[in-house]
Amino acid sequence: MSLLVDTLSVTPQSGEAGTTDVSFAVAAVNEGLDKEYLIRANAGNASSDVRVKHLGLREVFACSDGDFAVADGGTFNVLKGADFN
Amino acid sequence: MANIKIGKFTISPQSGSPGEDIAIGHTLSEAHTGRSSYQKLVRASISNAGANASATETLVVNGAPVKLTLNTSQLEIAYNVTTATINGVSNAARFRVSSTGKAITLVTNTGYTVSGNEGTFSNGFGTQDEGAVAIKVRFDANNTTSTVTIPVKVEYIDGTTWKVAGTFNILQSSSDADVVFTITPSTLSAFANTGGSQTVSISSNVGYSIEVQGDVSTDWVTLDRTTGTASTSNLKITAAAQAVGAAAREVSLKFKSTITGSVIGTLAISQLAGDAFAISWESDTLTFEPDAVGDIQTNKLTSNGDWYIEEVIS
C-alpha cells in the first residue's frame, strides 16, 4: 500500500520494526514551480521527517531585442524557450 | 480500494477518479484517550500533470473525559513496611491523596512532583494519551497486635473540580514478636528493561507463602518457588523484558505466615521503562528532477516499533 501525496507516491505506507527500504517516485513531469513535500514517519510517540523535492522544469528565457528595464517602469518582454545569449 | 492511515484516523479511498460528491470515509481507528482534543490535517490533491489544485480538511476528536482509575483496590504489607505504591491509569494533570485512618504522606515517585499531599504529573502527561501512574505514600509502622487498615482516598483534578478516583486500602499486619523473618538483601535494585533475575536469601522461623501483588498485571514477575519453610533458603525472582515504549512498573512480593495468615514480610520489585520509541530516515532530503517519472529513490527507514507514514501539512 502506498501513500499518495499529489504526484508523489511513497511505498510502503506502514510496516513493522526493523529497517525497511521505502520507495519514493513521482507520477508526472513537474511543468510548474518546484514542489516540496514533508513526509513524516511515526512509531509510537517518535517521528522522523524527510523532505522530498520535485523540481519544476527550468526553461531558458531571453529578452526581445530592444527591451530594457527602466527605473520608472515600463514593459519588459520575456521570450520563453528562446536561445539565451 | 486502498485506505490510508493518518494518525488515529483511517481514510478510504485514498485515491479516485474525477467526479462530484465523491464519498470519502473517515474512521477513528485508534481510541483517543488524552484529555485534550486531537487534530489532523488532510490534503486531497489532483495528481494530473500540470495540475495545481488541492483541498484541505481538518479532522478533530474531542478530548476524552478526565479520569484516574486505580488498578487494584488493596495491598497487604508487613507491620514494619512504611511505604506503598498505588498503580493506576490516568489522563489527569494533578491528583491528591488523603486518609481517614493513619496519617499518610505523599512521596515523590517517577512521573510526578509533590506539594503537600498533592501531586502534579509531568508536563504534557495525559493531554494526548492516558498513561500509567504509580502513586507512592508513606505512613508509620504498625507496632500493635492488630491489623491496621489505611484507607487512601485518591482524587484527581477535572478542570477546577476534584473528583474521587477511589479508595485504596492498605492492610498493615500486626507486629508479632515471635516471628523472625528477614530478607537479604532487604531491597532489590530495579530490574533492567531487558529483564533478568535477582536472588534473595530468606530466613524464617515459620512456614510462609509467597504471592505477587500490587497491579493488574503481575505475570511479568516469576518466582522459582511460592512457599517456604522455617529455614534459610534462596528465592530467585525473574522479570520479563519490557516492551518498547512501556512505562516503568512496580509490584511487591507478599510473604504470609502459614500459621496465622499474617503478612510477615514484603519486598518491592520494580523495573525500568522500556526503550523509548525511535525512528529515523537514512537521508533527510530527496530531490527529483522535473521529468524523473519512473525513477524510484529508496530511503532506508529504521524503527524499533510498528510505523506508518503521513504527509505533514502546515
Side-chain angles (χ1 to χ4, degrees), chain B residues 162-204:
Chain B
W162 286 101
K163 292 186 175 177
V164 177
T167 298
F168 185 87
N169 289 315
I170 300 169
L171 308 180
Q172 195 178 29
S173 284
S174 58
S175 172
D176 189 341
D178 295 330
V179 173
V180 178
F181 185 87
T182 58
I183 304 173
T184 308
S186 57
T187 59
L188 295 178
S189 55
F191 281 94
N193 61 15
T194 51
S197 296
Q198 297 186 56
T199 299
V200 293
S201 174
I202 297 172
S203 294
S204 177

Side-chain angles (χ1 to χ4, degrees), chain B residues 222-302:
Chain B
T222 53
L223 309 173
D224 65 350
R225 61 187 174 90
T226 55
T227 59
T229 58
S231 62
T232 298
S233 53
N234 285 343
L235 171 66
K236 185 179 179 183
I237 304 159
T238 302
Q242 283 270 43
V244 173
R249 51 190 176 184
E250 183 174 336
V251 293
S252 69
L253 294 186
K254 172 175 66 179
F255 301 83
K256 271 187 164 180
S257 165
T258 52
I259 299 172
T260 63
S262 296
V263 176
I264 54 177
T266 53
L267 181 65
I269 300 173
S270 62
Q271 187 174 30
L272 302 177
D275 287 343
F277 281 105
I279 188 166
S280 61
W281 292 101
E282 184 177 47
S283 302
D284 60 7
T285 304
L286 300 177
T287 302
F288 285 90
E289 293 300 320
D291 57 353
V293 178
D295 290 355
I296 294 176
Q297 295 196 35
T298 299
N299 200 2
K300 285 193 185 303
L301 180 67
T302 301

